[in-house]
Amino acid sequence: MQLIFATHNQNKFNEVQKLLPAHIHLVSLTDIGCMEDIPETGNTLEENARLKADYVAKNYNLPCFADDTGLLVDALNGAPGVRSARYAGDRKSADANMEKLLFELKGRTDRSAKFKTIIALHLNNGCQFFEGTVQGEITLRQAGKGGFGYDPIFRPDGHLETFAELPIGAKNKISHRGKAIEQLVQYLKTKT
């Protein structure tokens, strides 16, 4: 089965590819010749995931899914949330986003946060949603070279390491994206 993952983010693509069974051939936006940066103008993660999936379904008529992920920090009333990728501006700089977040949390004792991923799947003219979350906390400084985005400053509950310090296999077993993809895979098993 071929399935389009509506992303240009190679790190995210590689991470998701490792989570899928071998019989699902994952294809990126670049692979299908879609070079557009699909606007994420929704007010929620659900809306943004659906916007991206709808765009691919409408313009390419192929089975596809899209995700949107947010980091929700309790002390910041859920920020950066839906603006996680552009928290420090429209350049989508992970380093700038982390610097801004660490600055916003300076001196705060409550550093609890969660990652939330929403997946929108377009298959057989229908749209299905899947959600994964992981609780944790924002560290005082960056640690680790793996992962991407906020991974160097997010420590999941029950672990001493940040997502960036964990091996990819260990991260995928507990991550928000891993949980949402697991639901997607289970759903696909009922449809293929």
Side-chain angles (χ1 to χ4, degrees):
M1 172 185 197
Q2 179 170 291
L3 194 56
I4 311 303
F5 181 20
T7 187
H8 288 293
N9 183 324
Q10 194 61 46
N11 289 318
K12 188 187 290 189
F13 182 88
N14 293 340
E15 186 174 287
V16 167
Q17 192 169 39
K18 289 181 171 101
L19 291 165
L20 294 174
H23 73 277
I24 297 176
H25 177 65
L26 196 62
V27 179
S28 73
L29 291 177
T30 307
D31 295 331
I32 62 169
C34 176
M35 300 305 169
E36 292 83 15
D37 190 15
I38 302 168
E40 296 179 47
T41 55
N43 293 318
T44 65
L45 299 173
E46 291 86 351
E47 289 174 11
N48 281 339
R50 182 158 199 159
L51 283 169
K52 292 184 280 188
D54 285 352
Y55 182 91
V56 174
K58 179 182 173 191
N59 291 287
Y60 294 89
N61 198 28
L62 295 167
C64 68
F65 71 94
D67 83 320
D68 199 24
T69 296
L71 176 63
L72 296 88
V73 179
D74 293 346
L76 302 178
N77 298 315
V82 74
R83 298 278 307 153
S84 292
R86 295 172 177 82
Y87 191 47
D90 286 335
R91 287 182 335 170
K92 292 185 176 180
S93 166
D95 287 331
N97 289 337
M98 286 187 286
E99 285 174 26
K100 179 176 180 178
L101 183 58
L102 291 175
F103 178 79
E104 297 285 332
L105 289 176
K106 197 169 187 165
R108 296 189 188 234
T109 54
D110 180 7
R111 301 180 76 84
S112 56
K114 72 176 176 182
F115 267 122
K116 179 178 177 182
T117 291
I118 300 290
I119 290 176
L121 169 70
H122 265 285
L123 188 67
N124 303 327
N125 298 317
C127 188
Q128 193 75 27
F129 290 93
F130 309 95
E131 178 180 320
T133 60
V134 62
Q135 297 289 139
E137 66 178 355
I138 304 302
T139 57
L140 295 173
R141 64 193 61 80
Q142 293 185 38
K145 301 287 184 200
F148 59 97
Y150 294 92
D151 286 356
I153 61 170
F154 182 82
R155 180 184 302 120
D157 284 352
H159 293 268
L160 299 174
E161 305 91 351
T162 65
F163 267 166
E165 293 174 298
L166 288 171
I168 187 67
K171 176 192 172 189
N172 282 343
K173 285 180 184 172
I174 61 168
S175 79
H176 48 295
R177 191 169 291 108
K179 292 174 183 177
I181 290 290
E182 185 178 337
Q183 294 171 34
L184 169 71
V185 169
Q186 292 305 314
Y187 178 80
L188 290 173
K189 284 180 182 176
T190 69
K191 299 296 177 189
T192 55

